Amino acid sequence: MGESMTWVQALVLGVVQGLTEFLPISSSAHLRITSAVFFGDDAGASFTAVTQLGTEAAVLVYFARDIGRIVTAWTTTVWSRYVVRQRETVPASELPTTRLPVLDAHGRFGDHPDPHWQRELDYRVGWYVIIATVPIGVLGLVFADQIRTGARNLWLISIMLIVFALVIAFAEYYAGRTYGQTRRPLELLGTRDGLIMGLAQCLALIPGVSRSGATSSAGLLCGLTREAAVRFSFLLAIPAVLASGLFSLPDAFEPAGEGLNASGAQLIVATAVSFVVGYASVAWLLRFVARHSLDWFVGYRLVLGATMLVLLATGVVSAT
């Protein structure tokens, strides 16, 4: 058995998870680094996966209307098209509008969307999330043991912080030079975009990459607006993170082996803290990316990665 986690450690890690989950700086890397630098040990992959349930709950609450509308549109449309084999008409009063402007009946973007356009968009987004989740689901199961062990080496995490900082910077540069003002909003998201962002999400299995950083960068490279890429990134993460957290619950509540072992109560509190902090974080990030590029996070990743490499090279921090 490893060392027991203290309440201070549980609270600090819960705050770190909430602050970093949605930013393109890798929450798993920050939990690993915080545990190593300040607490001298590793909180573990299971702790990380379970506390992510708190931040994903924040996404579910923040996007509750959008998610409810997407689920309703997808299920009813699939039923009508493939089961009943006839199109179903739903009263406009039963179709709440989205926060984003969408296409109206004349093909223009506006704040008062045509309900049928909106319904079709929600149906497509539902399929894109399902299709894009398949790659990370398969790879997550195949490489589960490596993710929990070797991938948590701080040398690898530090290098990935730097490498993927350069990827994010390139994505911003390429999107600006290639697409300029012609970037597509979420309403024009296509199957190709969803699949590419889903494949990019697989990179998040490596701590230090960042799920939102990988998927948002892929969205920018596909020609999406920054806000559209980030918003779909949030929706795309929901199935994968929920599945990962639920899959890790038995290990987290029955800790064994080396590392910091959290009690059930500590795990619950840390997850609750990550929910509260994460809700504020997602609201802030959506406002931020509407006006600023992701380059703001590139410098931070470079500094953090370089600092960790120095600490590792000098023996101040252990890599494992």
Side-chain angles (χ1 to χ4, degrees):
M1 290 289 291
E3 181 182 349
S4 296
M5 183 178 292
T6 68
W7 276 103
V8 171
Q9 292 168 341
L11 291 173
V12 169
L13 293 174
V15 171
V16 170
Q17 169 61 30
L19 285 174
T20 60
E21 171 66 21
F22 304 114
L23 306 183
I25 56 178
S26 179
S27 62
S28 56
H30 277 73
L31 287 176
R32 177 70 181 93
I33 290 171
T34 301
S35 299
V37 174
F38 296 102
F39 307 139
D41 217 326
D42 183 6
S46 294
F47 179 90
T48 300
V50 173
T51 53
Q52 284 179 332
L53 291 175
T55 45
E56 285 312 304
V59 171
L60 291 174
V61 173
Y62 190 87
F63 291 107
R65 288 184 60 193
D66 301 75
I67 294 170
R69 196 184 59 250
I70 290 170
V71 171
T72 299
W74 187 86
T75 54
T76 56
T77 304
V78 167
W79 175 265
S80 64
R81 290 184 180 179
Y82 303 107
V83 179
V84 182
R85 296 187 180 278
Q86 63 183 15
R87 298 183 65 89
E88 177 184 4
T89 301
V90 176
S93 61
E94 296 181 12
L95 294 171
T97 60
T98 183
R99 292 187 180 91
L100 287 175
V102 298
L103 288 169
D104 60 21
H106 303 289
R108 298 189 298 263
F109 291 102
D111 295 325
H112 303 287
D114 175 84
H116 300 297
W117 276 102
Q118 181 64 58
R119 183 178 177 79
E120 184 65 24
L121 169 64
D122 294 334
Y123 169 69
R124 289 190 290 107
V125 169
W127 270 120
Y128 299 154
V129 170
I130 293 171
I131 293 171
T133 301
V134 173
I136 194 171
V138 173
L139 293 180
L141 290 173
V142 172
F143 296 105
D145 292 338
Q146 290 84 349
I147 294 169
R148 293 170 180 270
T149 54
R152 299 185 66 78
N153 185 287
L154 282 175
W155 281 108
L156 174 63
I157 290 173
S158 302
I159 291 171
M160 292 311 299
L161 282 170
I162 295 172
V163 169
F164 222 82
L166 301 178
V167 172
I168 295 172
F170 173 76
E172 281 282 4
Y173 172 79
Y174 178 85
R177 289 292 300 271
T178 304
Y179 302 107
Q181 300 300 314
T182 64
R183 301 188 198 184
R184 291 174 288 122
L186 187 63
E187 294 72 30
L188 298 181
L189 183 75
T191 305
R192 173 178 169 273
D193 305 319
L195 185 56
I196 290 176
M197 292 179 72
L199 292 172
Q201 184 178 214
C202 296
L203 297 174
L205 295 172
I206 307 172
V209 170
S210 169
R211 185 187 310 274
S212 62
T215 51
S216 296
S217 296
L220 292 177
L221 293 173
C222 288
L224 297 175
T225 64
R226 194 177 299 110
E227 187 177 5
V230 171
R231 185 172 287 260
F232 183 69
S233 172
F234 288 161
L235 296 175
L236 179 58
I238 293 173
V241 173
L242 289 179
S244 175
L246 294 174
F247 179 79
S248 299
L249 274 175
D251 292 334
F253 280 102
E254 295 291 340
E258 300 179 354
L260 297 172
N261 291 324
S263 67
Q266 289 171 333
L267 199 59
I268 292 171
V269 170
T271 303
V273 169
S274 72
F275 165 79
V276 175
V277 178
Y279 187 90
S281 178
V282 66
W284 175 83
L285 182 60
L286 285 174
R287 290 194 299 269
F288 182 86
V289 298
R291 299 174 178 84
H292 306 86
S293 77
L294 298 180
D295 287 334
W296 284 84
F297 303 102
V298 171
Y300 173 79
R301 291 179 62 107
L302 292 173
V303 171
L304 178 60
T307 301
M308 287 304 302
L309 288 178
V310 171
L311 293 177
L312 290 166
T314 56
V316 175
V317 176
S318 173
T320 57

